[in-house]
Structures are given as structure tokens and as C-alpha cells.
Amino acid sequence: VETSERFKLNYRFRVDKDDFSSRRNEVSAQAKYAGANFNLDYGFFQKGAGSGEFSDREEISTSLNTLITPAWKFNASTRYDIEKEYTVNYRFGLTYMCDCFTMQLDFSKAFTQDRDVAPTDTFFVRFIFKNLGEIHTTKTKGSSFSKN
């Protein structure tokens, strides 16, 4: 449903091929106003939906993207597990754009823990030169799988 250029609402679902029971439900809302975009997403994923390696999940995520000035943008997002009552991750960043290059600075924190996976903090810097290509680096703290 798209009521205007400023508001969109989507509903997606997946049903079981044998008994038509609900396997996956997703609702998304997007609002735009004066250079700002806000997204709100709800998802329920039944065990076995998708790859089948996860149990039932119910989560909500939000994101905000906004122009601070014509050259600077700010973005932020978070994902929350409703059933387990904890924040899965969050991220925020700043982007500068000019005629010659784009610079992105991002910070993200993931709270997921498992046997060999620890919570991580990641700082990401990226330079994109309009005529030369891009350079980027990532520094991750906390994950046993990261390469610094």
C-alpha cells in the first residue's frame, strides 16, 4: 500500500506448502519527510523458514536516514528480538559527499553471543573517489572470527 510518495506500507508472508500454516510474516512501514526517511519493520519467522537453522524469531527493526546539510547525511538503525527481549544490534553512521569523493564513517555493535561468537564492535571508514575508486578499512573488536 502506497498512500503517497511519503508513506508506504508492505506486508509479506510465506505459508507452509503442505498445510498452508503461516511460516513467515513481515510488515514494513516507511515514512519520508523533508529529507528524512524512517523505516519500521516487524518480522515473525517460524522455525525452518528460510535456511532452517534458526528457531522461531520475532523481531522489530527501525532505521533513520536524514540529510543534515546537502553534503552531510546521518543514519542509524537497530534490531530488537521481541521474544528474547534484547537488542540484537545497532548501527549509526555519518556520510560526507562532495564533487570529488564520498566519505563514510560507521559504527556498529552486535550483541549476539554463541559458542564461538562474541559480541562485536565494528568501526568502518570508507573513501570513495569519483574517478579513482574506493579505499576502506574495518576494525572489529570482540569477534573470534575477525581479521584486523
Side-chain angles (χ1 to χ4, degrees):
V1 176
E2 191 171 329
T3 59
S4 70
E5 288 183 20
R6 294 185 177 179
F7 185 75
K8 294 179 185 177
L9 183 64
N10 293 314
Y11 174 67
R12 298 186 304 181
F13 63 93
R14 181 181 293 172
V15 294
D16 187 275
K17 64 181 179 177
D18 298 323
D19 63 4
F20 298 105
S21 62
S22 177
R23 304 275 300 190
R24 180 180 189 143
N25 289 290
E26 295 177 80
V27 178
S28 303
Q30 180 185 47
K32 296 180 182 181
Y33 182 74
N37 294 337
F38 179 74
N39 294 300
L40 177 64
D41 301 309
Y42 165 82
F44 171 75
F45 310 96
Q46 188 180 40
K47 181 179 180 177
S51 65
E53 62 185 86
F54 299 107
S55 59
D56 287 358
R57 291 181 306 161
E58 187 175 18
E59 59 189 36
I60 191 165
S61 60
T62 60
S63 67
L64 171 69
N65 299 297
T66 187
L67 284 172
I68 300 169
T69 69
W72 288 93
K73 290 194 303 187
F74 172 78
N75 61 69
S77 64
T78 187
R79 196 169 91 207
Y80 182 79
D81 187 315
I82 295 171
E83 191 168 312
K84 294 179 181 175
E85 297 182 348
Y86 84 99
T87 301
V88 177
N89 61 27
Y90 63 78
R91 183 181 76 79
F92 59 90
L94 197 57
T95 302
Y96 173 77
M97 302 163 294
C98 70
D99 292 338
C100 299
F101 73 96
T102 299
M103 177 186 66
Q104 296 175 329
L105 305 171
D106 283 310
F107 174 78
S108 64
K109 183 166 186 77
F111 297 95
T112 303
Q113 290 189 35
D114 203 356
R115 295 168 294 251
D116 295 336
V117 178
T120 58
D121 296 335
T122 303
F123 186 74
F124 185 77
V125 179
R126 181 178 179 188
F127 291 93
I128 304 165
F129 296 94
K130 301 288 183 189
N131 296 314
L132 299 174
E134 69 178 79
I135 300 170
H136 65 271
T137 185
T138 303
K139 175 67 176 165
T140 301
K141 177 183 173 189
S143 174
S144 59
F145 294 108
S146 68
K147 291 184 180 179
N148 299 325

